[in-house]
């Protein structure tokens, strides 16, 4: 495989790699580094990529593993998960502020989830992968992913309800 073929192959999903890395590492610079590392690793394996049924799923798995390794290392010990790539199409100012506040509360609730639940929320609700693809990426059973996702959503819902109903009897 030559360089042009490789670029054409990875172009459709390189932004997803970056978004997953950004979700896990928070820092844009760290996410860019992670994306570059994954693409370099893919390039180094370009002779064996044909053996994978889904190169995108393989790349997302590599990204997840790389990011988790970075989070475990000493230099990344103070990173946390945050979602900041939300954009909206010019609603009224009060609606913007309300949406921004709600998003911050959801981000806080996601950041308090266990690591596996955060990753599954990211892949399913933000990246919109199918359960089958997530199962391949995380090497889990689809039903376990559904249960984990349901628990994560329930936790977020309870956190949001508790937050917004504070002081209301």
């Amino acid at each position: 495989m030559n360089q042009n073929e490789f670029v054409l192959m990875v172009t459709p999903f390189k932004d997803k790699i970056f978004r997953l890395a950004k979700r896990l590492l928070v820092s844009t610079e760290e996410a860019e580094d992670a994306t570059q590392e994954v693409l370099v690793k893919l390039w180094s394996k370009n002779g064996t990529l044909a053996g994978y049924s889904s190169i995108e799923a393989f790349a997302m798995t590599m990204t997840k593993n790389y990011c988790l390794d970075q989070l475990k290392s000493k230099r990344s010990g103070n990173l946390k998960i945050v979602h900041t790539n939300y954009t909206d199409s010019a609603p009224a100012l009060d609606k913007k502020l309300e949406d921004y506040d709600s998003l911050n509360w959801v981000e806080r609730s996601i950041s308090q989830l266990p690591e596996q639940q955060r990753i599954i929320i990211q892949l399913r609700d933000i990246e919109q992968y199918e359960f089958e693809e997530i199962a391949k990426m995380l090497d889990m059973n689809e039903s376990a992913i559904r249960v984990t996702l349901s628990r994560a959503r329930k936790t977020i819902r309870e956190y949001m309800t508790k937050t917004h109903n504070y002081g209301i009897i």
Side-chain angles (χ1 to χ4, degrees), residues 18-49:
F18 174 78
R19 286 193 305 269
L20 177 60
K22 178 95 165 84
R23 163 61 76 188
L24 293 170
L25 298 174
V26 177
S27 166
T28 301
E29 293 80 17
E30 290 281 334
E32 289 170 351
D33 289 347
T35 303
Q36 185 174 7
E37 275 298 315
V38 169
L39 293 177
V40 167
K41 287 180 183 179
L42 281 175
W43 174 251
S44 69
K45 295 178 182 281
N46 72 7
T48 60
L49 289 179

Side-chain angles (χ1 to χ4, degrees), residues 146-160:
R146 291 177 195 275
V147 169
T148 304
L149 181 63
S150 174
R151 288 179 181 160
R153 287 176 177 166
K154 181 180 178 188
T155 302
I156 292 169
R157 184 172 38 255
E158 288 171 353
Y159 180 82
M160 294 298 291

Side-chain angles (χ1 to χ4, degrees), residues 5-115:
E5 292 171 336
F6 179 78
V7 169
L8 288 174
M9 179 185 67
V10 299
T11 299
F13 58 85
K14 71 179 180 181
D15 288 339
K16 289 182 180 180
I17 291 172
F18 174 78
R19 286 193 305 269
L20 177 60
K22 178 95 165 84
R23 163 61 76 188
L24 293 170
L25 298 174
V26 177
S27 166
T28 301
E29 293 80 17
E30 290 281 334
E32 289 170 351
D33 289 347
T35 303
Q36 185 174 7
E37 275 298 315
V38 169
L39 293 177
V40 167
K41 287 180 183 179
L42 281 175
W43 174 251
S44 69
K45 295 178 182 281
N46 72 7
T48 60
L49 289 179
Y52 294 99
S53 60
S54 174
I55 296 169
E56 181 178 347
F58 178 62
M60 295 303 285
T61 301
M62 287 175 65
T63 304
K64 175 198 68 148
N65 291 338
Y66 179 83
C67 292
L68 293 178
D69 288 346
Q70 292 301 308
L71 288 170
K72 289 176 186 172
S73 72
K74 288 183 181 179
R75 69 178 184 84
S76 297
N78 61 349
L79 294 178
K80 60 180 182 173
I81 292 184
V82 180
H83 176 62
T84 58
N85 63 351
Y86 175 78
T87 58
D88 203 357
S89 56
L93 182 60
D94 61 335
K95 182 67 175 153
K96 270 184 162 177
L97 290 172
E98 190 176 304
D99 290 346
Y100 182 75
D101 186 48
S102 292
L103 180 62
N104 283 334
W105 283 108
V106 170
E107 289 173 357
R108 286 184 201 164
S109 63
I110 290 174
S111 71
Q112 294 176 358
L113 292 173
E115 185 176 290

